[in-house]
Amino acid sequence: MKVLVIEDDAKLRDYLRLGLTEAGLTVNVASNGVDGLHQALEDSHDVIVLDRMLPGIDGIALLAALR
């Protein structure tokens, strides 16, 4: 399973990446809304873990763009 984590807090982002990787998942990460949207559109992911308050494009606008 492939997961995209879009989170601007580096500590939380790394913690999520580590935990999900240890669970056997493939994890991609982005630290802001612009990069997250780009990755979500360019590659296929089974799940996106999305922070609501992101720099660049907030999580709600990012979700609307993906829908």
Side-chain angles (χ1 to χ4, degrees):
M1 181 176 278
K2 195 167 187 180
V3 179
L4 174 60
V5 175
I6 308 171
E7 171 59 58
D8 60 328
D9 182 302
K11 201 174 208 181
L12 179 55
R13 186 176 60 244
D14 292 342
Y15 181 76
L16 288 168
R17 178 183 14 209
L18 178 63
L20 293 169
T21 301
E22 287 178 354
L25 304 174
T26 302
V27 181
N28 293 339
V29 296
S31 60
N32 62 62
V34 174
D35 292 343
L37 180 59
H38 177 75
Q39 285 192 44
L41 293 174
E42 291 296 315
D43 201 0
S44 176
H45 297 91
D46 298 300
V47 176
I48 298 176
V49 178
L50 177 61
D51 184 9
R52 184 171 177 200
M53 297 177 63
L54 293 166
I57 301 172
D58 68 54
I60 301 299
L62 194 153
L63 180 59
L66 291 175
R67 286 186 173 182

